[in-house]
Amino acid sequence: MAVPFSPGPETSVWPELSALAQRLGSAAVGELFAQDKDRFGRLSRQSAGLLLDFSRQRIDGRALGKLCQLADAVQLRARIDAMWNGEHINTTEDRAVLHVALRQNAGDGIGGAAIEKTVLTERERMLAFAEGVRGGAIRGSKGQPFRLVVNIGIGGSDLGPAMAVQALHAFTQGAPGCEFVSNVDGVHLAQVLAGADPATTLFIVSSKTFTTLETLTNARTARAWLAGKLGEAAVPQHFAAVSVNQKAMDEFKVHPQYRFQMWDWVGGRYSVWSSIGVSLAIAVGRANFQAFLAGGHEIDEHFRSTPWPDNLPALMGLLAVWNINFLRLPTLAVLPYDDSLRRFPAYLQQLVMESNGKSVMLDGRPAQSETGPVVWGEPGNNAQHSFFQLLHQGTPRAALDFLLPARSSCGNQPQQNLAIASCLAQAEAFLHGQSAQVVREALLQQKVPPAQADALVPHKVDPGSRPSSIVLFRQTDPATLGRLIALYEHSVFTQGTVWGINSFDQWGVELGKRITEQFVPAVEDPGKNRGAPGTVLKLLEAVKAWRG
Ligand code: F6P
């Protein structure tokens, strides 16, 4: 059965939303609060341990209702069902998209009985291995427990586990240390190896395809290092791998019991829930990894069954569409007020931009509207002291997502209270700004001479009405992290459905990979420069001269 495809810009709801946006586009959001004493009640939702406050968005009840109509008009419900049923909604790769199957419980049957079985079996194998490494039952070639786990991967085979191990640092007591090496230049790997004891180091080569230049290069360097220190025979006991590519794992001589399966129906950026998360499972242990999956599953159930007006991921996605297409805000700044979430913006960059950075619709026609936003961000307090100036007074406009836990991630609640105060204060400042009149009065009260005050006023005015959402939660724990990731995953799917694009392929990254392969010989051996195009010949000559 063909999956319904109704791009938002071609629905009758789209021009109605445009008209509403014209009216709201010049409204002061602070005024909207003044007109509606229960604005927070109307424009916030709490579910599955997350409180989404979108009362600071430039929106009202009518526009919200219309956005929910848009979700119906683009047949979001049918597309969700198609995803869950394992239909090949990733049309350009002819693949199902079943990361939701990775978070299922026995009996759920997501993706069908065979997929449920393979997921649960592989999950159990992976968790048993992780527990073995964590507890010291699985040891290195010299019989010593592993003290260091080095995940070698990139993109979705790096960002998810790297972000999650960082975020859940408080849950990693007693586990080996985890490092995540990704870049091809070898700098990070060299630093990690310099401090590593080969006898107690386990490498995990994470690569869905097992063909990725960066990962295979680092894996070979690590392998040579280990073989050099402990001998070739030791290698299998120090290398695990996660991939769909069994043949490549054979060739790499990965220990048969230390290999974990991936499936083509899991996109790299959606794979932290699979065995790609083995480093996370080693770091936080079986129960916490299961809690992480359960958190994601909770949001899956919520997304699948909740009407749009109360559906957190759908609302988040629809608000993103509102900001991008109707209020013309092409970027999203993600601002966690918990340093343990410091890699979350980087994680979201791949999730959002690799998924929705498309300009062609499912049927091959050009997209009829702007699509995915540029995502960026930093932990909130750091950002306040670097780029918030631009957000407050600069000309480029961004939408903002504040991520705010009530409880400290390190047991230091007094300092977390300062982070909470900072976050709420910034949200308030972005909402109300400060008018020329307020600025002028403050200056005069400080006894600044009137002429000087008048000169300063325009520099100190803050226009306010910068749209933001706050995602408030109790604590950055495994279940909550699972919920947060699934929240954004389904928001991304909602947005992609509205734009009528395929959120699950990534053809744009292929060209650069291919050209890199062509250039490697010319860079390695300048004698082979003849194959390189004129556009880079002079640069190659300069490289040669400076490289020595
Ligand atoms: O180049 C982008 C990409 O294909 C991502 O989609 C993926 O997460 C990453 O490379 C790594 O791929 P692999 O897991 O196959 O090494």
Side-chain angles (χ1 to χ4, degrees):
M1 195 187 70
V3 188
F5 160 63
S6 319
E10 294 177 354
T11 65
S12 60
V13 187
W14 200 262
E16 297 178 71
L17 279 163
S18 292
L20 290 174
Q22 275 214 326
R23 186 171 55 76
L24 281 163
S26 53
V29 183
E31 272 302 303
L32 300 176
F33 269 93
Q35 288 159 19
D36 180 1
K37 294 287 168 243
D38 190 30
R39 186 171 165 84
F40 174 82
R42 268 184 250 287
L43 300 179
S44 65
R45 302 286 185 274
Q46 188 174 345
S47 227
L50 303 176
L51 168 56
L52 175 65
D53 171 11
F54 50 98
S55 59
R56 289 170 179 75
Q57 295 286 346
R58 196 189 282 271
I59 192 133
D60 63 7
R62 247 179 97 195
L64 188 68
K66 211 36 93 188
L67 284 168
C68 292
Q69 282 180 27
L70 178 66
D72 285 330
V74 299
Q75 313 210 49
L76 179 58
R77 183 68 61 205
R79 290 201 64 85
I80 293 172
D81 288 343
M83 178 195 270
W84 254 256
N85 293 336
E87 290 178 42
H88 286 203
I89 60 172
N90 177 357
T91 48
T92 64
E93 295 181 299
D94 194 17
R95 288 177 182 169
V97 175
L98 277 170
H99 44 279
V100 292
L102 299 170
R103 329 196 261 238
Q104 68 184 311
N105 297 310
D108 288 348
I110 300 174
I115 285 187
E116 180 196 313
K117 187 160 176 251
T118 188
V119 164
L120 296 184
T121 307
E122 199 60 9
R123 185 193 296 164
E124 188 44 45
R125 276 191 67 232
M126 182 277 275
L127 287 175
F129 174 76
E131 285 295 275
V133 172
R134 191 173 211 271
I138 296 177
R139 297 178 170 220
S141 55
K142 291 194 172 302
Q144 290 176 250
F146 292 113
R147 297 260 163 265
L148 176 66
V149 172
V150 182
N151 184 81
I152 300 178
I154 199 162
S157 300
D158 165 75
L159 286 163
M163 176 277 288
V165 168
Q166 178 74 60
L168 300 178
H169 178 75
F171 298 81
T172 60
Q173 302 92 335
C178 282
E179 292 282 354
F180 294 85
V181 168
S182 55
N183 276 318
V184 79
D185 54 38
V187 171
H188 191 190
L189 180 62
Q191 286 168 2
V192 168
L193 295 184
D197 171 4
T200 59
T201 299
L202 173 70
F203 295 96
I204 301 174
V205 185
S206 295
S207 178
K208 181 177 167 181
T209 55
F210 228 86
T211 59
T212 305
L213 173 75
E214 294 85 346
T215 300
L216 289 191
T217 307
N218 280 324
R220 286 188 198 111
T221 303
R223 192 184 195 288
W225 174 83
L226 195 107
K229 301 276 184 193
L230 301 180
E232 184 65 28
V235 170
Q237 276 170 282
H238 292 263
F239 275 82
V242 189
S243 184
V244 292
N245 189 343
Q246 295 296 334
K247 190 164 164 269
M249 288 195 279
D250 280 347
E251 282 162 16
F252 204 84
K253 297 202 178 66
V254 180
H255 193 304
Q257 278 151 29
Y258 298 179
R259 305 168 174 198
F260 300 95
Q261 214 188 326
M262 272 274 282
W263 303 277
D264 68 3
W265 40 262
V266 183
R269 54 195 176 272
Y270 298 90
S271 66
V272 61
W273 320 93
S274 72
S275 294
I276 289 288
V278 61
S279 48
L280 173 63
I282 293 170
V284 300
R286 174 189 284 269
N288 285 320
F289 191 85
Q290 283 170 330
F292 171 68
L293 295 181
H297 185 63
E298 198 179 349
I299 290 291
D300 294 340
E301 298 279 285
H302 167 86
F303 181 53
R304 203 173 174 203
S305 60
T306 309
W308 311 134
D310 294 313
N311 188 316
L312 299 185
L315 286 171
M316 195 182 226
L318 293 167
L319 287 164
V321 166
W322 174 253
N323 283 334
I324 294 161
N325 296 125
F326 299 101
L327 300 183
R328 309 253 168 243
L329 299 167
T331 85
L332 173 70
V334 178
L335 308 159
Y337 277 78
D338 176 347
D339 202 69
S340 69
L341 288 170
R342 61 178 172 266
R343 294 291 285 156
F344 200 73
Y347 174 78
L348 284 188
Q349 283 179 324
Q350 188 197 15
L351 177 66
V352 177
M353 296 201 274
E354 202 172 70
S355 296
N356 284 343
K358 315 284 164 66
S359 48
V360 166
M361 295 195 295
L362 285 159
D363 62 4
R365 286 182 297 144
Q368 306 289 300
S369 62
E370 293 296 312
T371 60
V374 173
V375 176
W376 51 300
E378 267 289 301
N381 282 80
N382 291 348
Q384 287 171 210
H385 295 275
S386 63
F387 58 74
F388 268 34
Q389 165 62 37
L390 176 143
L391 294 177
H392 280 294
Q393 291 186 310
T395 51
R397 298 292 164 102
L400 317 175
D401 277 2
F402 295 103
L403 304 180
L404 181 60
R407 285 198 184 184
S408 166
S409 280
C410 64
N412 187 341
Q413 195 58 38
Q415 286 199 221
Q416 180 59 20
N417 289 344
L418 296 178
I420 295 168
S422 304
C423 177
L424 297 180
Q426 289 295 334
E428 204 61 7
F430 284 120
L431 167 66
H432 292 294
Q434 55 177 353
S435 66
Q437 192 190 345
V438 169
V439 171
R440 189 166 195 279
E441 277 166 19
L443 287 168
L444 294 180
Q445 255 179 17
Q446 292 158 27
K447 307 275 182 263
V448 176
Q452 213 179 319
D454 287 340
L456 267 176
V457 165
H459 298 278
K460 297 190 98 177
V461 166
D462 187 331
S465 294
R466 310 281 179 165
S468 68
S469 289
I470 299 176
V471 183
L472 180 64
F473 45 93
R474 186 181 165 90
Q475 189 174 14
T476 308
D477 58 22
T480 306
L481 186 67
R483 293 177 190 130
L484 283 174
I485 298 174
L487 172 72
Y488 278 96
E489 283 179 353
H490 294 318
S491 164
V492 163
F493 181 51
T494 300
Q495 294 167 58
T497 298
V498 170
W499 295 317
I501 58 176
N502 181 355
S503 300
F504 304 106
D505 60 9
Q506 57 284 319
W507 296 107
V509 302
E510 295 303 327
L511 177 61
K513 287 185 192 172
R514 219 169 47 239
I515 301 176
T516 303
E517 274 170 30
Q518 286 164 14
F519 281 9
V520 168
V523 175
E524 281 174 348
D525 176 2
K528 294 184 184 154
N529 270 1
R530 266 160 297 154
T535 42
V536 296
L537 271 178
K538 291 286 170 211
L539 296 172
L540 283 172
E541 280 167 22
V543 167
K544 184 184 165 195
W546 278 343
R547 193 172 52 188

